[in-house]
Amino acid sequence: LISELIDPGVPVTAYKSQTGYLGAASAAVELCLTVETLRRGCVAPIARHALADPACTLNLVTGRARPLPKRGATALCLSWSWLGQCAAVALRAVA
């Protein structure tokens, strides 16, 4: 569904690959990481990523960080917890 809704060039990462399971804190931590991503202007790679499903059309960030546009970058932070907490937050970088 995500690949149908966003431009195919949008970089996609997975913070949970770096943080592990944080329970109810997952959304808050991932939101902070998203803010830092926009502040620094680069998307962190998915940790320990080996090989994506060939049917996956998302632009997964692997290997090394990828730069964002200098101005107006937008992020969508989606967070789900095993215990049922979920959050979706959209952020835009400002100059």
Side-chain angles (χ1 to χ4, degrees), residues 14 17 45-54 60-63:
S17 70
I46 301 168
R48 298 171 300 282
H49 183 272
L51 186 61
D53 181 327
L60 302 177
V61 179
T62 61

Side-chain angles (χ1 to χ4, degrees), residues 41-82:
C42 66
V43 180
I46 301 168
R48 298 171 300 282
H49 183 272
L51 186 61
D53 181 327
C56 178
T57 59
L58 295 173
N59 183 12
L60 302 177
V61 179
T62 61
R64 63 176 53 176
R66 196 170 304 158
L68 288 171
K70 295 290 183 196
R71 298 179 58 102
T74 303
L76 176 61
C77 182
L78 303 172
S79 180
W80 288 276
S81 170
W82 291 346

Side-chain angles (χ1 to χ4, degrees), residues 1 12-14 20-21 35 37-38 40 43-45 50 58-59 67-68 81:
L1 178 61
V12 175
T13 192
Y21 177 64
V35 169
T37 291
L38 292 172
R40 290 180 182 239
V43 180
L58 295 173
N59 183 12
L68 288 171
S81 170

